Amino acid sequence: MFARLPDQFSFPEAEREVLAFWKEHDVFARSLAQRKGAERFVFYEGPPTANGLPHPGHCLTRTIKDLFPRYQTMCGRLVERKAGWDTHGLPVEVEVCKQIGIHSKEEIEEYGLEPFVHKCVESVWRYTREWEEMTNRLGFWINLDDAYATYHQSYVESVWWGLKTLFDRGLLYQGHKVVWWWAQGGTALSSGEVGEGYRDVDDPSVFVKFPLIESEPPAALRKLADGGLVSDVTDADSLLTHLLGTRRLPPSVRESFDTPEQTLRHIVEKSPGFLARLIAPTSLLVWTTTPWTLVSNHFAAVHPELRYALVHDAEQGENLYVAEDLVAAISKKVKRELEVLFVVSGADLLNLRYLPPYPEVYHEDLGHEQAELRGGGVNAIGWRVVAADFVTIDSGTGLVHEAPAFGEVDFEMLQQERQRFKEDDAIPLLCAVAPNGTFNDEAPEVYRGRWIKDCDKDINRELKERTTPWGTPLLYHLEQYRHSYPFCPRAEEDALIQYARKSWFVRTSRFKQRFIENNAAMTWLPEHIKEGRFGDFLRNNVDWALSRERYWGTPLPIWVCQESGQMEAVGSFDELLAKPGLTGTEVWEQARAARPDLPDDLRVHRPYIDALTYDSPFADGARMVRVREVIDCWWDAGSMPFAQWGFPHAEGSVQRFQEMFPASFISEAIDQTRGWFYGLLAISTLLFGPDESGRLAEPVRQALQRDGDEALGFPQPFEACIVLGHLMGEDGTKMSKRLKNYREPGYVFDTYGADALRWYLYSAQTPWTSVRFQENAIRDAQREFLVRLYNVFSFFNIYANIDGFDPRQKQARPAAERSELDRWILSDLNLAIRDVRGHLDRFENFPAAQRLNDFVDALSNWYVRRSRDRFWCAVSGEAARDQDKWDAYETLYEVLVTLSRAIAPFTPFFAETMHQNLVRDIEEGATDSVHLCAYPTPDAACIDVQLAEEMNLVRDLASLGRTARTLAKIRVRQPLERVEIILANHQHEDWLSGHAALIAEELNVKQVDFTSDADHYVHYEVKPNFKAIGPVYGRKAPQIAKALQALDNPADARRTLVADGKLTIEVAGETVALTPEQVEIRLQPREGWSAAQGRSGVVVLSTELSTGLQEEGLVRELIHHVQTLRKEHNLPYEARIALFVETAPELADVLGRWQETLAAETLAERVVFGPPEAAEAKEVSVEGTAVRLALAAPAVAG
RNA sequence: GGGCGUGUAGCUCAGCUGGUUAGAGCGCAUCCCUGAUAAGGAUGAGGUCCCAGGUUCGAAUCCUGGCACGCCCA
């Protein structure tokens, strides 16, 4: 006996039982132990932060993360799953600040670094319990007891080891990073803070000349400009070369004419005085809204693809380069005509050299200095034109003044420029401003010590006074410009500035090529991430800004000599403790004595680590002091492949790391592209890959005891990654606690269960879709799959028990000998398993779930429905019939057992419920849990593709028959004499003829005929199969279509095609022979027939009703009413009744003749024609005739 | 401001290596079943595949531009 399923099955309740079962039997641990020594499938857990409550988005991540490890485990692999927590960084600090009601860095320091850090470490675990509860309830199997946490000492030391390795490899350096800087407060602001403080303000908009440095025009050219004759010129070519070299002509000009003389003549004769204007002195016209940054000018930027005009200003007798599209606007501003001499592209202007407004400031360094380029050759290190694609023509001149210290994009431009040079520090960073926002000693003396913005006016005045070498003022135009600009949200009068701060960087850009190579080997879902968002990010790689001027994070393990400024990195805590003359350990000891509950891990954190100083190896008597920065918490997360094991310090960590690298599979949401995904790739490539000379880092070779230099596990560091979309609220906007526009996970678990949520997330859309998280969508997904499957399961449960089916008895025949329906469902089961495995092997949960859904639909709506009679009929003793019954039970049993395993990774709870009921309760020594079973393997012997095709045809024809009935308004209850089926394709006709009974029963007809010549029922349409014709006939395809449409007699054409295997038609004077594959025959029922057409053919209904059929229809109708009445009376289905029927004599007469059927179908022991005796009667209508019906217990009536 | 993605039925989403009847579920309408039963099933209506150009014999699918939304970076 199978345990009877409850009358009211509750998924959430059943799931809680399953949870208890898993716990009691330690199933997760056993699923791992069982695979000991097996091939590994490596999973990395991207650490979430536990200082906020988990929401549905986290459920999505964990749902996807759970599926593939479960599946791979069932496929025989060992899939260890170590949990992890991200515990450092700004989010934690912000949370703590909120808690104690403070805001700024100053306030934190006032509050005290030590108590602040204590609060941080407490805050880290604030919602751990909720996270663990969600994880467990969702059925996400991961080892939470052995979780890594980024603040643990062993983790921190691993990160230190990595950083020291990079430091020693010269990959960690101090540089600059541009931040929004509150100068008065001396601190950088986060983007969120900056966003709060935008206001509209007026700033000066300055158009200033940068005079080009160029050689004097040759005398001959001047002579020509003064009216000389081209015929007198001896060397036209050199004159042209000069004009081209000084960008006075577009590069293409030489090609326009045959000889240099002709070219020159063309220029001279263009207009009177044209050459004279052309060779006038020239400036770049540059635009800025921050005059104070002009002091630190380094470059002028153009967009290489924009067009720039050289215009002549007759009033000042000089030329200017401006963007062509802005000439008119500038001309309007200065209220005079500007003659466009010619136009070039921005690319043509690159590397032109100019004199900046304040050349004296940096003259020594920049004036003439050049440096070697990586690709050979040299270039000036400043004061020249560079390319930048952020230059626009929205305003200004199309040429932008660049002071990289004061603009993020400008600084990035500098970094890219720097990469072109051999020496990393060939180009300096010019910065005439001190951190407090005043000009420093690099600025002209008059400005030093003054707040920069206050100097704008004086600088503008000075620009009027300063002149070009030919004596015109540098300032070309000045106006006010209204735009939005950020101010400090805490000190509203203080404008923020973008300002380059010293910062530590990792030289990732050196490894760009290796990142790209590693990425090329990875599998991304969806695919576009690979070359799109992620690939783009890699191609535009800039060095990783590692350090943060904050408090709660992995301390940057670099100590500086206070005398010499030399530095060294420290790779572990022990290494630090062993340093000569180490002092400061007492600070931690005292803190610990005062608060014994402080975790040991804190001793590697600020402020305790800052207290540790030691003797400098670089200068006698000097001390080594740690730099104050902590590191970006993304670096922590990206270090997890080795840091989760405490590699290489912790015992056994070297082996663990090697076993578990690289990952086979990871998955997180799209926002992790530049976070965790990049972190993993960058850190492992830098650390475990070869450097430029192809060598592995020495500490890595040591730790791994390797002699060779081959990279570790390629591709690094993960093979496949599913990038998830974001879940949105019910209303399509971002989920918001405040708006309450989504259901909490707990509510979903309690109402529908974890399986329902999981199935919804797997089956409703591809996982990268940004989808609305809607309660009814979860309910629908549950109904469509889980409830439907439950019904089949429950159906089996009821009847198997009634008939005493016992799978151990092996009463069924071998599958190959069972009925066609059995073989069909077993075939489809195996096909489904083959498909699902294929999808899951490729990490495609959505099509896999769809396939399972389709299978359950076929099982419920065709197999069980068509098999009902086999289950219902009583055990008869008639051998063949009983055998068929046992076959059916065995088939359904096998299907359900296999299915429970196939769905186990998706809906682990319900799969377990099925397994317990169907297998474990029944068989002695059966596997305890479905999750300890092997994933089903498709059995090729069971797969019958032709049968599947044929059964689909039957289902399709049945559906067409129902359509025809609906169109004819004849309900299925009314039996009909026959249907005729005209197939579009006769391939399966023989087989179908053998299954006419099935169709007949499904359509409630007495007879099914297959008609091949049915011209009187249908007309034919011969259509081209474009997919086959297109590639062969190309542009003739539409003509063929036309010719086919114009066929006089499509029916004949069809016959020809069937008989000859080809159809010959005339197309544009040519003869074209089409094969059956190249055309498609469509059938249309002719008018006057009750018929329906589909792709497979036409089903024609015979609608004539003989008296017998009519009567049978009336009886079925009455039976329907009686059954409804039975239900209204809540009668148990086996209850016997007495039936009273009071109606017109004609109908009573008919019913009388069918009394036996009537009585049998309604379980009536007595049928009385006449007024009801006791019970109240119900008025119904049978085909328009009134009937009074009543039921009574047979005894009462007796 | 830049990059990437998305836009398909009333709703939520598939499809999109180009092929002429564009799919599913829900909802809706009509109906069936009443021995899986506070379930189950059938049938139908419903679509300018965001807009405008282009490539092609042929575009929801490829290209360009625009609009809207989202994400990331500013």
Side-chain angles (χ1 to χ4, degrees), chain A residues 77-94:
Chain A
R77 308 214 166 74
L78 172 60
V79 193
E80 284 188 77
R81 282 152 270 181
K82 185 179 173 79
W85 302 104
D86 195 0
T87 56
H88 278 150
L90 206 58
V92 180
E93 291 192 21
V94 167

Side-chain angles (χ1 to χ4, degrees), chain A residues 44-87:
Chain A
Y44 285 170
E45 163 74 337
T49 46
N51 75 325
L53 279 169
H55 62 74
H58 300 119
C59 294
L60 168 63
T61 321
R62 285 166 127 53
T63 298
I64 298 290
K65 283 179 182 180
D66 189 55
L67 175 67
F68 297 100
R70 277 187 190 269
Y71 167 68
Q72 292 290 343
T73 301
M74 291 179 78
C75 286
R77 308 214 166 74
L78 172 60
V79 193
E80 284 188 77
R81 282 152 270 181
K82 185 179 173 79
W85 302 104
D86 195 0
T87 56

Side-chain angles (χ1 to χ4, degrees), chain A residues 486-501:
Chain A
F487 286 75
C488 180
R490 290 191 296 279
E492 289 184 3
E493 290 316 299
D494 296 347
L496 300 177
I497 56 171
Q498 291 204 350
Y499 186 69
R501 287 289 291 168

Side-chain angles (χ1 to χ4, degrees), chain A residues 285 287 301-303 306 308 322-323 326 391-393 395-400:
Chain A
L285 188 61
W287 181 65
V302 297
H303 194 300
L306 277 178
Y308 289 87
V322 295
L326 292 167
V391 174
T392 68
I393 49 165
S395 49
T397 64
L399 289 100
V400 177

Side-chain angles (χ1 to χ4, degrees), chain A residues 224-228 230 249 257 262-279 310 312 314 319 338-342:
Chain A
L224 210 52
D226 289 344
V230 176
L249 292 174
F257 300 93
Q262 279 175 9
T263 311
L264 212 51
R265 192 179 303 278
H266 171 77
I267 294 162
V268 171
E269 290 171 359
K270 201 160 182 180
S271 67
F274 183 80
L275 182 59
R277 296 198 293 281
L278 190 65
I279 62 173
L310 182 71
H312 184 70
N319 295 337
L338 296 172
E339 181 196 1
V340 175
L341 300 175
F342 67 92

Side-chain angles (χ1 to χ4, degrees), chain A residues 639 800 856 914:
Chain A
S639 297
V856 169
M914 288 174 74

Side-chain angles (χ1 to χ4, degrees), chain A residues 288-548:
Chain A
T288 182
T289 55
T290 49
W292 56 269
T293 62
L294 283 169
V295 177
S296 308
N297 172 268
H298 200 142
F299 293 109
V302 297
H303 194 300
E305 280 152 31
L306 277 178
R307 293 170 61 76
Y308 289 87
L310 182 71
V311 298
H312 184 70
D313 182 331
E315 189 181 298
Q316 302 206 349
E318 61 185 358
N319 295 337
L320 299 164
Y321 269 113
V322 295
E324 186 185 18
D325 290 343
L326 292 167
V327 173
I330 293 165
S331 168
K332 204 171 153 195
K333 283 185 202 291
V334 297
K335 299 189 180 78
R336 56 182 180 265
E337 195 77 15
L338 296 172
E339 181 196 1
V340 175
L341 300 175
F342 67 92
V343 176
V344 288
S345 80
D348 294 326
L349 300 180
L350 295 183
N351 291 322
L352 283 182
R353 311 227 359 236
Y354 64 83
L355 205 60
Y358 290 87
E360 72 277 14
V361 177
Y362 295 106
H363 204 272
E364 292 307 309
D365 294 334
L366 280 178
H368 304 95
E369 199 164 318
Q370 303 206 318
E372 282 183 70
L373 295 167
R374 272 172 192 271
V378 293
N379 206 345
I381 61 168
W383 296 345
R384 59 177 163 81
V385 177
V386 296
D389 48 19
F390 55 80
V391 174
T392 68
I393 49 165
D394 294 344
S395 49
T397 64
L399 289 100
V400 177
H401 143 70
E402 291 293 322
F406 310 110
E408 172 118 39
V409 289
D410 314 83
F411 190 79
E412 249 171 52
M413 187 278 302
L414 174 73
Q415 292 295 83
Q416 306 234 334
E417 196 62 33
R418 279 175 167 167
Q419 284 185 30
R420 296 174 56 228
F421 287 82
K422 262 191 185 147
E423 300 293 328
D424 289 317
D425 53 1
I427 309 183
L429 179 70
L430 309 188
C431 180
V433 177
N436 66 3
T438 65
F439 277 109
N440 64 15
D441 288 351
E442 292 181 15
E445 213 170 329
V446 286
Y447 300 124
R448 286 179 199 164
R450 292 170 60 191
W451 166 236
I452 45 176
K453 290 235 165 196
D454 288 346
C455 297
D456 275 352
K457 274 203 174 123
D458 290 343
I459 290 171
N460 291 340
R461 190 176 314 122
E462 199 173 351
L463 289 174
K464 256 182 241 166
E465 287 157 10
R466 292 197 175 213
T467 62
T468 60
W470 52 91
T472 60
L474 287 184
L475 187 69
Y476 192 64
H477 179 69
L478 172 68
E479 63 185 23
Q480 290 296 300
Y481 179 75
R482 176 157 284 240
H483 62 154
S484 107
Y485 194 86
F487 286 75
C488 180
R490 290 191 296 279
E492 289 184 3
E493 290 316 299
D494 296 347
L496 300 177
I497 56 171
Q498 291 204 350
Y499 186 69
R501 287 289 291 168
K502 278 221 159 169
S503 184
W504 286 87
F505 288 85
V506 180
R507 226 180 273 289
T508 52
S509 57
R510 280 260 180 92
F511 288 75
K512 183 161 107 179
Q513 209 45 46
R514 295 221 192 266
F515 295 161
I516 292 170
E517 284 163 21
N518 281 352
N519 180 39
M522 294 172 176
T523 301
W524 289 91
L525 291 94
E527 220 182 324
H528 61 73
I529 300 285
K530 183 177 190 161
E531 292 307 325
R533 190 178 282 221
F534 196 64
D536 281 344
F537 183 57
L538 294 182
R539 283 186 286 277
N540 297 319
N541 187 269
V542 292
D543 288 347
W544 186 324
L546 180 71
S547 57
R548 297 286 181 270

